[in-house]
């Protein structure tokens, strides 16, 4: 059973930084794309950043230049990160990581809260 565990969320002032982590375990099939979505208060869940198996990255326009997605250099650790800089209150929400396996089945983490105060 695939499990994704996020960590690194918290409360930060506007202009600050946080680094989210998402550790995967139980991945039997090959790993495809991984990434992050977020859901702010009263909003739908939206894509934030993704990284493919070949390390192609993609970001929602509002975070380009501020957020960076990366993976652990040790592939056995199956961990990805989201470095978030210059945070603003609009970045507030629950951040969920996802993992697509080689059969295109998507798994989700439980979410980690990010709160940016003005």
């Amino acid at each position: 059973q695939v499990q994704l565990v996020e960590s690194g969320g918290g409360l930060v002032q506007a202009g600050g930084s946080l680094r989210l982590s998402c550790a995967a375990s139980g991945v039997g099939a090959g790993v495809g794309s991984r990434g992050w979505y977020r859901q702010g208060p009263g909003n739908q869940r939206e894509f934030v950043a993704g990284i493919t198996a070949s390390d192609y990255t993609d970001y929602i326009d509002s975070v380009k230049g501020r957020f960076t997605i990366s993976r652990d250099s040790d592939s056995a650790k199956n961990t990805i990160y989201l470095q978030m800089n210059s945070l603003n209150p609009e970045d507030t929400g629950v951040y969920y990581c996802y993992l697509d396996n080689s059969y295109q089945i998507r798994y989700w983490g439980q979410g980690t809260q990010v709160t940016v105060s003005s």
Side-chain angles (χ1 to χ4, degrees), residues 30-102:
V31 177
S33 295
R34 300 190 62 181
W36 298 87
Y37 277 66
R38 69 186 177 189
Q39 187 165 15
N43 296 332
Q44 291 185 331
R45 190 178 295 193
E46 65 177 357
F47 171 82
V48 176
I51 184 167
T52 68
S54 55
D55 288 338
Y56 172 81
T57 59
D58 192 20
Y59 301 90
I60 190 173
D61 285 347
S62 62
V63 308
K64 287 180 179 177
R66 300 188 297 122
F67 291 12
T68 303
I69 188 170
S70 62
R71 68 172 76 249
D72 197 294
S73 58
D74 182 349
S75 61
K77 293 185 178 179
N78 269 331
T79 300
I80 63 169
Y81 306 95
L82 186 67
Q83 178 66 43
M84 305 186 295
N85 299 326
S86 301
L87 286 161
N88 58 63
E90 289 71 38
D91 296 315
T92 292
V94 180
Y95 283 67
Y96 300 90
C97 74
Y98 69 88
L99 179 151
D100 295 337
N101 69 9
S102 57

